[in-house]
Amino acid sequence: MNQKPPAIAARDERFRDSISTVDKHGKRVWLYPKRPGGKFWNKRKVFGYTLLALLLLGPWLRIGGEPLLQLDVIDRRFVILGRTFWPQDIHLFVIGFITFIIFVALFTVAFGRLFCGWACPQTVFMELVYRRIEYAIEGDWKQQQALNKGPWNGERILKKTVKHFLFFAVAFFIGNTFLAYLIGSDRLLDLITVSPRAHWAGFVAMLGFSGIFYGVFAFMREQVCTTICPYGRLQGVLLDRHSTVIAYDHVRGETRAHFRKGEDRRAVGKGDCIDCKACVHVCPTGIDIRNGTQLECVNCTACIDACDHMMTSVGLPTGLIRFASEREIADAKPWRFTTRMKGYSAVLIALVGVLLTLILTRTDVEATVLRTPGTLFQKQQDGRVSNIYAYKVVNKTSRDMPIRFELENSQGEVQVVGKSLDLHKAALIEGELFIILPPQEIKSYSTLLTMKVMAGDKQVDELQTSFVGPIHKAQ
Ligand code: SF4
Ligand code: SF4
């Protein structure tokens, strides 16, 4: 963070020397976040479950016969929104990835770690799936604490067994969903409808992957967000006083003090924070947002709901914790579109423009025809001259496409060696071909030729290649 306002600078910042989930002996402090609830939680549920539905349905939904999303790294084939991309499209992935990074940076500069709390798969699975299973079986935070402190009696063994069985079952289900993104839903169906004995290695790999997934949500939990995730570590350089984050209004809230009915808090020098710690109890990363913006905060908004509930209960205005920048709170100034945000936006707009142009001008078929290295020309019996070439044609569409090569502005001929040019959907064919020219068309040692790739009457690609041969001398 940049320069701090006096109200913050004077505060005890020793809490930054340690993290809330590790005690002074270096041991893990297990968190028991209170069950969240409120306006933002309801919105998060709608948003998060929509994302989950999209994730689960992604491999099964079809656009033009192709999946919504498939990342087939084994066959090096990627389907995004029904369009097939190949390794030849690597430049699109690189530009897309850079655009995504700039977008994330801009988004973070402007709105902090909002992505983490609302859209990150780690948080969505943890808070909307695993934690809810835990609340349903073990109860709210106090019951969970009591259960874990109590003896290993029948109730505890039963609850833990059911919980961990469900945790693993969900992990296994999610593992299979991710596998469908890799190998496609049809191949996944083939695999799961036969006995595991038919594919032991794959089955054991899936159990291993599910075990890692299970371990992350059953045991690692918030440690992923607070200590492992590199994006979380970036907050320190991306956030500044202008960034909108989940913030405690320390100007209004301090000096914090317990609530007393009928008391005029302002008159006795008390702020609006009633020091109930409801915001701390719901925090899934175990921090006290009243200390100020912290790297551990995933912007989940649970503390806003908790504080609003307390404020409403004691008849004070809501919004003591809210989306706001430090500048808005400390200096009472409105949100500003800063120079840094403008710079990131300009780069982002330029990159999106380049990416869109490349995607929109991307051809359905991509062909390369290269003269076979180390070969010269051959003279045919009829006096014509031929060169041999290696060709490669990729069909990026999801339909079969018989193709042919034609020379532009030439009396020459293209003869494909051997096989037919039936280009199946999302397939690649390669082979050799001859270009044969009448001698009068060879006017220099290396003649530049334009070749069209035709599918029926439609030209699907155009390329240039060179032809070598003896220069024709007019009689
Ligand atoms: S401080 Fe608030 S917004 Fe941040 S992680 Fe904790 S509960 Fe979520
Ligand atoms: S929930 Fe609100 S009132 Fe209660 S401690 Fe947190 S900031 Fe203060």
Side-chain angles (χ1 to χ4, degrees), residues 161-235:
T161 307
V162 173
K163 182 180 94 169
H164 286 283
F165 172 77
L166 287 177
F167 275 12
F168 191 82
V170 172
F172 190 71
F173 181 68
I174 294 166
N176 276 280
T177 300
F178 282 131
L179 185 61
Y181 276 104
L182 293 180
I183 64 173
S185 53
D186 295 339
R187 275 158 78 187
L188 179 74
L189 272 182
D190 289 345
L191 283 178
I192 60 177
T193 48
V194 297
S195 161
R197 271 177 292 186
H199 49 86
W200 266 120
F203 184 67
V204 170
M206 176 51 65
L207 284 181
F209 180 79
S210 306
I212 294 171
F213 215 79
Y214 158 80
V216 164
F217 292 103
F219 306 109
M220 292 292 294
R221 303 192 156 198
E222 78 289 336
Q223 296 298 307
V224 175
C225 313
T226 58
T227 57
I228 297 173
C229 175
Y231 176 56
R233 312 270 70 72
L234 276 176
Q235 309 304 305

Side-chain angles (χ1 to χ4, degrees), residues 248 272-280 290 303 306-307 310-311 320-321:
Y248 164 68
D272 279 355
C273 175
I274 59 171
D275 207 13
C276 62
K277 296 197 171 56
C279 52
V280 183
R290 294 175 301 167
C303 53
C307 188
M310 295 312 296
M311 291 289 102
L320 182 57
I321 301 176

